[in-house]
Amino acid sequence: MRIYEPNLKLSNEEKKLLQLLSRLILEHEGYDCSNISDSLIPLSDQEAEELVYLIEKLIEKKKFWHASHFLDHVTNMPEDKEGKLAKQIFLAGYETKKKQTIMPSYRWYEFVIRLGLGKYIKQSQSFRQQKIEPMPYDHFLKMEEKLFNKADIPEEIIKSLIAEIARLREKVEMIEKPKSSSLIKHMKKIQSRIKDEDNKTAITVDLCAAITLIVNYSMLWTTRDWGVTGTLSTLAAVHMTLFKAN
């Protein structure tokens, strides 16, 4: 199955944040993106200050707020009456685009079925005949690897991230709702630890999850399959920090 080039657009501040997160992870001896242990990374005052500033800029972005609310609602299907709130947020992300080649309802149906939640929505006979299938998890991992490379994430970190996302397959593939699916709360949690005057540290897996969020959240409103990849990846990033490996 062909994987098209991702239309990844990162701001200068997002690029700086990714570079800083990657450097901190690589400089930490014996780093690992798995959450088997809470490996701590000590931070200098300058590193802590820069992280807090760049994370705050990320949280302030309108698109990041939309991504956070979307993930919260899409993981709440079918309780959310066929995902009505998730659909509203999803389609709102396309409203600013000048050219719409797909009817809004079809765009949503294609996305949901590809995500693996098609059983929760009603489909017309003509739409069912298109035979769209859920994205295979192995294909998703290949797309994710391509996206990390596009974002210039170091190869060592990419390997560790892909291995961790693969380990979380059951929770991500089933679109299992985490205890807290708010991307905003997740990033603020990282901020609060960094701000600790007596112990400026960061947890390695938190930084790995942050990289995954930053690279993927803006992909939700691009193409169908990259939108699915972005959704699955942001969900995986939240699960990274909430569930211990067995």
Side-chain angles (χ1 to χ4, degrees), residues 171-185:
K171 295 183 183 300
V172 176
E173 201 167 35
M174 296 299 293
I175 317 296
E176 181 177 317
K177 187 175 182 65
K179 295 177 182 177
S180 173
S181 54
S182 172
L183 309 186
I184 297 168
K185 287 182 180 179

Side-chain angles (χ1 to χ4, degrees), residues 2 157 184 241:
R2 182 178 177 182
I157 296 178
I184 297 168
T241 61

Side-chain angles (χ1 to χ4, degrees), residues 85 114 126 131 145 149 237:
L85 290 175
R114 198 72 170 134
S126 61
K131 297 181 179 179
E145 184 174 3
N149 276 300

Side-chain angles (χ1 to χ4, degrees), residues 212-231:
T212 306
L213 291 178
I214 296 163
V215 173
N216 282 277
Y217 86 92
S218 64
M219 298 304 295
L220 297 178
W221 293 280
T222 52
T223 65
R224 182 195 66 192
D225 277 9
W226 280 116
V228 170
T229 297
T231 303

Side-chain angles (χ1 to χ4, degrees), residues 108-217:
W108 170 246
Y109 290 152
E110 284 187 346
F111 172 83
V112 171
I113 293 171
R114 198 72 170 134
L115 189 63
L117 295 174
K119 62 183 178 181
Y120 298 131
I121 60 173
K122 296 178 181 178
Q123 305 164 36
S124 65
Q125 181 63 32
S126 61
F127 190 82
R128 286 196 295 269
Q129 290 174 351
Q130 294 187 35
K131 297 181 179 179
I132 297 173
E133 299 291 338
M135 180 183 290
Y137 204 79
D138 290 342
H139 183 70
F140 154 61
L141 291 175
K142 291 177 181 177
M143 291 188 69
E144 186 69 349
E145 184 174 3
K146 188 177 184 72
L147 186 60
F148 282 137
N149 276 300
K150 180 76 173 181
D152 293 325
I153 303 302
E155 185 178 351
E156 302 95 319
I157 296 178
I158 293 177
K159 288 181 180 178
S160 190
L161 282 171
I162 294 299
E164 180 62 3
I165 296 172
R167 186 188 68 78
L168 291 166
R169 178 171 186 160
E170 183 178 353
K171 295 183 183 300
V172 176
E173 201 167 35
M174 296 299 293
I175 317 296
E176 181 177 317
K177 187 175 182 65
K179 295 177 182 177
S180 173
S181 54
S182 172
L183 309 186
I184 297 168
K185 287 182 180 179
H186 173 80
M187 297 306 292
K188 285 187 175 181
K189 181 183 70 174
I190 297 175
Q191 270 190 322
S192 64
R193 179 179 288 276
I194 296 170
K195 288 179 179 179
D196 188 340
E197 292 296 331
D198 298 323
N199 186 27
K200 288 187 174 68
T201 58
I203 300 176
T204 305
V205 69
D206 276 353
L207 301 191
C208 291
I211 288 176
T212 306
L213 291 178
I214 296 163
V215 173
N216 282 277
Y217 86 92

